[in-house]
Amino acid sequence: MLIETETTPNPSTLKFLPGRSVMDAGTRDFADPEEAEASPLAEALFSLGDVEGVFFGRDFISVTIGAGADWRDAKPQVLGVLLDHFAGGAPLFRNLPNNGIDVSADKELPSDPEDADIVDQIKDLIDTRVRPAVARDGGDIVYRGFQKGTVFLAMHGACSGCPSSTATLKQGIEQLLKHYVPEVTDVRAV
């Protein structure tokens, strides 16, 4: 089995492509070892010691290492864990309610019902234009709310903590949304 790797704009994060589907639907971000208990693969990656974040996308896994860690040392270990997991046919999630996927922390902020058309436009632009581009870089950006002209987005995977995430948010996503949805005045990460 060949697992390809790609760099991301975040120097602490590498994107691993196993050449097969990772998640059938949605994404999953693990920010610490406690969250990783829902997945044998995420748990094994955190057990390496230098891993500070794991993100499952549709066809990739992004792994973030901590400050002071070096990808020259960590990459072979991560590849070993991934090869063992996929070659062994292990499940991605433990048999937990919702397949271990807990999205309760990612609830949307309340929005004004009069803004429903605006919210639909924003969500469509994020889903069709922003998320596919961000996934190529090993991350995900998810709509969380729209209030008084401000769009709130959650950043996951390689996007979380990336040095260029502010530029992506302000110069990329904010400009795109303002262009197509004039009611948007600001975009913020939550």
Side-chain angles (χ1 to χ4, degrees):
M1 172 178 197
L2 174 67
I3 298 178
E4 295 181 41
T5 60
E6 292 179 2
T7 58
T8 71
N10 184 345
S12 298
T13 303
L14 278 181
K15 181 177 172 182
F16 295 85
L17 298 119
R20 62 177 66 175
S21 176
V22 175
M23 296 275 294
D24 292 330
T27 61
R28 178 64 199 263
D29 196 23
F30 300 94
D32 57 51
E34 289 74 31
E35 289 181 14
E37 292 174 1
S39 167
L41 177 56
E43 190 173 49
L45 289 166
F46 272 100
S47 75
L48 296 175
D50 290 330
V51 173
E52 287 193 347
V54 176
F55 178 78
F56 296 157
R58 186 181 54 79
D59 62 351
F60 67 90
I61 298 109
S62 291
V63 178
T64 303
I65 57 174
D70 190 327
W71 272 115
R72 288 179 293 213
D73 300 326
K75 184 177 174 179
Q77 295 175 334
V78 170
L79 283 169
V81 168
L82 294 174
L83 284 169
D84 287 348
H85 175 83
F86 286 107
L92 191 59
F93 293 101
R94 290 196 166 79
N95 194 10
L96 300 171
N98 299 323
N99 290 329
I101 300 172
D102 178 15
V103 295
S104 60
D106 292 339
K107 294 195 185 254
E108 290 183 14
L109 301 170
S111 61
D112 187 334
E114 292 181 19
D115 292 334
D117 288 339
I118 296 168
V119 168
D120 287 344
Q121 290 175 38
I122 293 167
K123 286 180 177 181
D124 183 60
L125 286 166
I126 290 167
D127 287 342
T128 60
R129 302 242 181 144
V130 176
R131 292 182 78 194
V134 171
R136 287 192 293 273
D137 285 339
D140 196 13
I141 294 181
V142 180
Y143 173 85
R144 289 291 167 243
F146 176 74
Q147 295 177 343
K148 298 179 183 174
T150 300
V151 177
F152 297 93
L153 302 173
M155 303 175 90
H156 300 288
C159 295
S160 180
C162 176
S164 62
S165 64
T166 301
T168 299
L169 199 64
K170 290 297 187 183
Q171 297 165 358
I173 299 167
E174 183 175 285
Q175 292 305 314
L176 172 82
L177 292 177
K178 282 180 174 180
H179 177 77
Y180 288 103
V181 185
E183 293 84 357
V184 172
T185 59
D186 189 25
V187 175
R188 296 186 191 163
V190 291

